[in-house]
Amino acid sequence: MRKKIVAGNWKMNMTPTETKELIAKLKDKCNTDEVDVLFVVPSIDVTTAYECLKGTKIKLGTQNFYFEEKGAYTGEISAKMIIDAGAEYVIIGHSERRGIFKEDDEMINKKLIASHKFGLKPILCCGESLELREKGTYKAFIEGQIKSAFNGIDKNQAVNTVIAYEPIWAIGTGKTATSDEAEEVCKFIRDVIKALYDESVANAIRIQYGGSVNAGNAKEIFSKEDIDGGLVGGASLKEDFINIVHY
Ligand code: PEP
């Protein structure tokens, strides 16, 4: 039985001071172990968030890192820094990083390998544009993203990777995939994982849906067989997130 994971991606929002205020509003009501609850905060907020979340079951993640261990990479942060600051998880391959910051499949593969090597738990994002959805080629595209990202990842590492299916046309647009559309792709991704590894890995790996999840649609989406929770952007900054956690 896979445990659901509900993660809030704060994106580039919240100063350290605002982090304290938001966590004070959310933490008691999000403090459950019925699902894994995760706050994915900007790196600058990790230390503050870690202090605020002490004594709760809420897990902490950040949104990016660089795959090298250390060195002359001005402006970047390493896995070791993130772990030392108190976070466990990292998002890799979010469509905003692929699109705005031009991270390609090769970079994403290096980051997935490095996250496991250095002990950060990855949430690997994938998902198609509206153009590919309308053309009908979205599954082949997503299969390519998954195969490329998992190149060099062993079975044990694969089981300990969370995948987030996030159709780009649904992110921050208020336009959610229907629960059937989301389930179709999450099931497809599970089949791709089965072909790459085996049935036990496919059954164990957690696959989230992300894209305009809110308190009104979470229950229907998260109740689907192959959807193991959600990656939530906009609604994770509001008290709405509490209702998503308790969908
Ligand atoms: C996201 O940032 O991963 C996301 C899904 O955003 P939103 O929920 O705002 O669409």
Side-chain angles (χ1 to χ4, degrees):
M1 185 62 178
R2 296 181 297 268
K3 190 171 187 185
K4 304 263 185 199
I5 173 166
V6 179
N9 173 15
W10 289 13
K11 310 198 188 201
M12 197 176 76
N13 295 294
M14 301 293 145
T15 62
T17 305
E18 290 165 342
T19 293
K20 281 187 198 156
E21 291 161 7
L22 183 60
I23 292 182
K25 279 189 205 152
L26 297 180
K27 82 169 180 184
D28 289 343
K29 292 191 175 142
C30 288
N31 187 21
T32 172
D33 57 10
E34 280 180 44
V35 300
D36 283 338
V37 180
L38 174 60
F39 291 172
V40 188
V41 306
S43 324
I44 191 93
D45 297 331
V46 170
T47 310
T48 304
Y50 177 76
E51 288 302 320
C52 297
L53 291 173
K54 262 188 188 159
T56 74
K57 299 178 181 99
I58 300 167
K59 299 170 197 310
L60 189 55
T62 189
Q63 302 163 17
N64 189 30
F65 80 116
Y66 194 58
F67 57 80
E68 293 289 358
E69 187 172 1
K70 60 179 177 177
Y73 305 103
T74 302
E76 293 295 329
I77 58 166
S78 70
K80 193 175 171 189
M81 292 170 191
I82 293 170
I83 294 166
D84 190 63
E88 283 179 80
Y89 284 82
V90 68
I91 294 178
I92 297 174
H94 192 282
S95 60
E96 287 152 16
R97 296 222 54 91
R98 292 180 192 257
I100 303 166
F101 301 101
K102 308 293 172 229
E103 291 194 12
D104 59 11
D105 283 341
E106 192 187 332
M107 163 77 86
I108 287 157
N109 173 242
K110 284 183 175 160
K111 288 188 174 187
L112 192 59
I113 291 170
S115 66
H116 287 295
K117 178 174 165 195
F118 298 121
L120 263 180
K121 297 177 184 160
I123 298 182
L124 171 78
C125 300
C126 61
E128 80 285 2
S129 63
L130 184 59
E131 194 190 343
L132 293 180
R133 164 72 44 177
E134 285 173 347
K135 257 201 218 159
T137 54
Y138 56 99
K139 284 195 194 162
F141 176 77
I142 291 164
E143 181 172 6
Q145 285 185 320
I146 297 291
K147 284 188 172 161
S148 164
F150 279 84
N151 189 14
I153 296 293
D154 69 26
K155 263 168 88 162
N156 184 45
Q157 291 168 334
V159 168
N160 290 301
T161 301
V162 176
I163 298 176
Y165 166 55
E166 298 210 307
I168 298 169
W169 46 272
I171 297 180
T173 58
K175 191 172 179 222
T176 322
T178 65
S179 55
D180 287 342
E181 284 170 334
E183 168 65 13
E184 183 207 26
V185 178
C186 291
K187 182 175 187 327
F188 173 73
I189 292 170
R190 207 174 292 290
D191 288 342
V192 172
I193 293 294
K194 185 172 161 188
L196 284 178
Y197 298 94
D198 60 29
E199 193 153 7
S200 69
V201 176
N203 285 337
I205 196 167
R206 294 189 290 180
I207 305 177
Q208 301 174 302
Y209 166 78
S212 299
V213 171
N214 58 45
N217 58 29
K219 184 179 167 102
E220 189 182 337
I221 296 171
F222 298 174
S223 303
K224 290 288 184 182
E225 196 178 330
D226 288 288
I227 301 179
D228 305 313
L231 183 56
V232 183
S236 69
L237 300 170
K238 304 183 220 155
E239 278 165 86
D240 228 21
F241 190 65
I242 297 165
N243 296 322
I244 299 174
V245 165
H246 297 284
Y247 67 94

